[in-house]
Amino acid sequence: MMNIWWNQVTNAVQYVSEIKKSLLEEKSVLLKYSSSMPWRECFEDSVKEAVKLQNSEKKFVEVPAVTNPGEYLLNEFCKKEKRAEYRPSKGYSKFFAESEDIVLHDRYLWIEIDDEECLEKWLSFASEYIKERGKNSNRAVFILEWAEEGQVPVKKGIKVYSFDDYIGEYDRLAFAVLASSSIKEDIFLKNYLVELAINTTGNDIELCSECVMGYKEFLKDPHAYIKTVLESKTRSDGSEYSYDMAQDEVNHLIWLAQIKTIYPHLEEYREEFVQRHANAISRQLPIQAPYGEIYSDPKDVELGTLIYMAGSGSLVLNQNEYEKLKRFKEARNKLSHLATLTFEEIKQLL
C-alpha cells in the first residue's frame, strides 16, 4: 500500500519530486503537515534515494531536535581543535559559515521537530547560517520536519513544503481506487468500497488502507471495523490511530457513499425495467402517483408506481421479477428518507 501511495498517486509523487529538486539545489526546507504522514519512513527513504541518485557526495544525517542547534553541531561536526577556535562573540552560525575545514557543509541534516520553541530556534539558526554562508558556497542543507497544525514563521532561505497543500480529495480517491483494484469483487461493490473508505477515514491514508485491506468486515460495519483497527493496530511509525467520529456521524457518511454509488444503480435498474415493459406501462398511462404526480411517459414512472401497477395486476410480472422490483423500491425509499442500507441489502441489489 505504501508503494501505491508514494509511487503512483500523482501529487504524493510530486511532493517528493519538488523536495528533491530543492535539496539538489542546496536549498533548506521545512516539511509541514497537520495530520499523520502516510508511511513516513517510506517517504523519508523516497526523498533520500531520489537525491542520492543525482548527488551521492553530500550525506544525509539524522539530527535530534535539540534546543541549542549551534552547540550540538559544534560538538558533532567539528574536531576538538576546531571547537577550541569558537568564540561566543561571533556566534555559531557565523563561525560555521566562515569555516571551510568542517564536514558540516557536506551534510543534509534531517531534524524531526515536535516543539514550537525548538522549531523557532532551528529556523532562526538555519536562516542565519544560510545568509552568512552565501549563495555560491557549498553549504549544509537543513530538512526540518514539523508535524503540527497552525502557521509557522517564515524565515529567509528556507522553503516551506506543506503536505496538506499538495494532497486533496482527488488524491485520496486515486489511492483508494488503486488500492482496491486487485480485489476480486463486482465493480459496483468496489466503487462503493472506495467511496465508503474515503468518506469514513478522511485524511488518514493509512487508516483508509486498513479499511480497504479488511474490506469484507469493513463493508459490513464500517464504524465497528475502524474501532477494531484502533484497538488492535498501530501506524507504520508505531504511533496509535486516532478517530473521533461518533456512530451518527459515520452513519451519515455511509449514507453519502450509498447515495453516490448505489442510488444511481437503482435508477439504472428502473430505466432498464421501464424499457423492457414499456408497452404494458404505456397502456396504463396517464396515471396519477400517490403524491399527485401525473405520469404520461413510461420513462418518468417511478419504482413506487411500478410496484402499484404490479400489485393491481395492470403490470404482469413473475414472482422473481416482482420481488426484485420490490427490493429496489424499498432500497430507494430508505435512501430517500436518509436511512442507510445494510450490507446484506446491498448484496441483494447486485
Side-chain angles (χ1 to χ4, degrees):
M1 291 293 183
M2 64 183 179
N3 289 327
I4 290 176
W5 177 257
W6 288 116
N7 294 330
Q8 297 184 52
V9 176
T10 302
N11 283 329
V13 174
Q14 185 71 11
Y15 185 65
V16 171
S17 178
E18 294 195 15
I19 292 169
K20 175 204 72 175
K21 182 180 177 182
S22 285
L23 299 185
L24 288 171
E25 294 172 352
E26 299 209 340
K27 294 178 181 177
S28 292
V29 298
L30 171 62
L31 312 180
K32 178 181 178 294
Y33 49 96
S34 60
S35 55
S36 294
M37 177 71 77
W39 300 285
R40 190 209 155 276
E41 186 175 342
C42 182
F43 159 69
E44 183 176 338
D45 289 343
S46 296
V47 171
K48 289 179 178 179
E49 289 304 314
V51 172
K52 288 176 183 178
L53 284 174
Q54 294 181 249
N55 179 9
S56 59
E57 296 179 2
K58 195 184 290 288
K59 296 181 179 180
F60 282 90
V61 179
E62 300 283 338
V63 175
V66 295
T67 55
N68 191 334
E71 181 181 345
Y72 175 84
L73 297 177
L74 180 70
N75 290 326
E76 290 294 318
F77 293 93
C78 296
K79 295 180 180 179
K80 183 178 180 181
E81 297 79 9
K82 190 65 182 180
R83 294 199 297 269
E85 296 177 16
Y86 173 71
R87 297 293 179 270
S89 58
K90 177 172 287 191
Y92 291 110
S93 295
K94 192 176 182 69
F95 175 73
F96 294 140
E98 292 178 352
S99 300
E100 297 297 339
D101 55 344
I102 58 175
V103 297
L104 178 66
H105 308 311
D106 296 315
R107 298 291 184 267
Y108 291 112
L109 308 175
W110 198 305
I111 307 105
E112 285 186 71
I113 302 172
D114 58 7
D115 177 83
E116 198 168 336
E117 181 182 354
C118 183
L119 175 65
E120 171 61 33
K121 290 184 177 181
W122 275 99
L123 285 169
S124 298
F125 172 82
S127 180
E128 184 65 22
Y129 164 82
I130 293 165
K131 183 184 75 172
E132 295 290 348
R133 185 66 179 160
K135 293 183 179 180
N136 299 320
S137 301
N138 179 40
R139 64 184 181 220
V141 176
F142 295 86
I143 307 163
L144 308 177
E145 190 175 347
W146 175 245
E148 295 290 341
E149 295 184 3
Q151 296 295 316
V152 295
V154 177
K155 295 291 183 179
K156 190 173 182 179
I158 301 175
K159 184 170 179 58
V160 178
Y161 285 98
S162 172
F163 182 72
D164 298 346
D165 291 343
Y166 276 76
I167 304 302
E169 183 178 351
Y170 184 78
D171 300 291
R172 296 189 288 274
L173 174 62
F175 170 75
V177 169
L178 290 168
S180 62
S181 62
S182 61
I183 292 174
K184 307 300 182 185
E185 293 288 351
D186 184 276
I187 185 64
F188 165 71
L189 203 59
K190 287 164 73 169
N191 287 340
Y192 175 54
L193 169 63
V194 167
E195 286 297 327
L196 191 61
I198 62 174
N199 275 13
T200 56
T201 60
N203 296 332
D204 197 330
I205 302 300
E206 287 198 43
L207 182 58
C208 177
S209 171
E210 292 285 359
C211 292
V212 171
M213 288 190 293
Y215 73 95
K216 290 183 178 179
E217 295 303 317
F218 173 67
L219 287 173
K220 293 177 183 177
D221 190 335
H223 191 262
Y225 183 78
I226 290 173
K227 185 178 179 182
T228 299
V229 171
L230 267 60
E231 293 172 348
S232 62
K233 298 186 179 183
T234 58
R235 300 183 188 279
S236 59
D237 63 1
S239 63
E240 294 183 352
Y241 285 100
S242 61
Y243 195 79
D244 56 7
M245 288 191 192
Q247 180 72 65
D248 287 348
E249 294 176 279
V250 174
N251 285 344
H252 179 67
L253 295 172
I254 295 171
W255 178 79
L256 289 174
Q258 293 181 357
I259 284 293
K260 191 168 183 178
T261 59
I262 296 173
Y263 206 87
H265 182 67
L266 303 179
E267 184 60 18
E268 287 176 10
Y269 167 78
R270 185 191 69 82
E271 291 177 359
E272 185 271 336
F273 181 93
V274 168
Q275 286 178 3
R276 282 191 292 111
H277 298 279
N279 292 334
I281 295 170
S282 295
R283 288 194 292 269
Q284 308 303 318
L285 301 182
I287 189 172
Q288 184 171 1
Y291 294 101
E293 301 98 327
I294 302 295
Y295 297 127
S296 56
D297 190 326
K299 71 176 185 297
D300 296 329
V301 180
E302 295 292 345
L303 291 170
T305 302
L306 293 172
I307 279 287
Y308 170 76
M309 287 181 173
S312 64
S314 56
L315 182 60
V316 179
L317 304 175
N318 61 44
Q319 190 63 28
N320 287 339
E321 269 193 307
Y322 179 79
E323 292 299 328
K324 185 174 183 179
L325 177 64
K326 184 178 178 182
R327 284 198 301 273
F328 274 73
K329 179 256 185 183
E330 290 172 350
R332 183 179 176 118
N333 279 359
K334 288 186 74 171
L335 292 177
S336 297
H337 292 87
L338 307 182
T340 59
L341 305 176
T342 66
F343 185 55
E344 287 302 315
E345 288 172 327
I346 293 171
K347 287 199 297 183
Q348 289 176 2
L349 299 176
L350 291 176

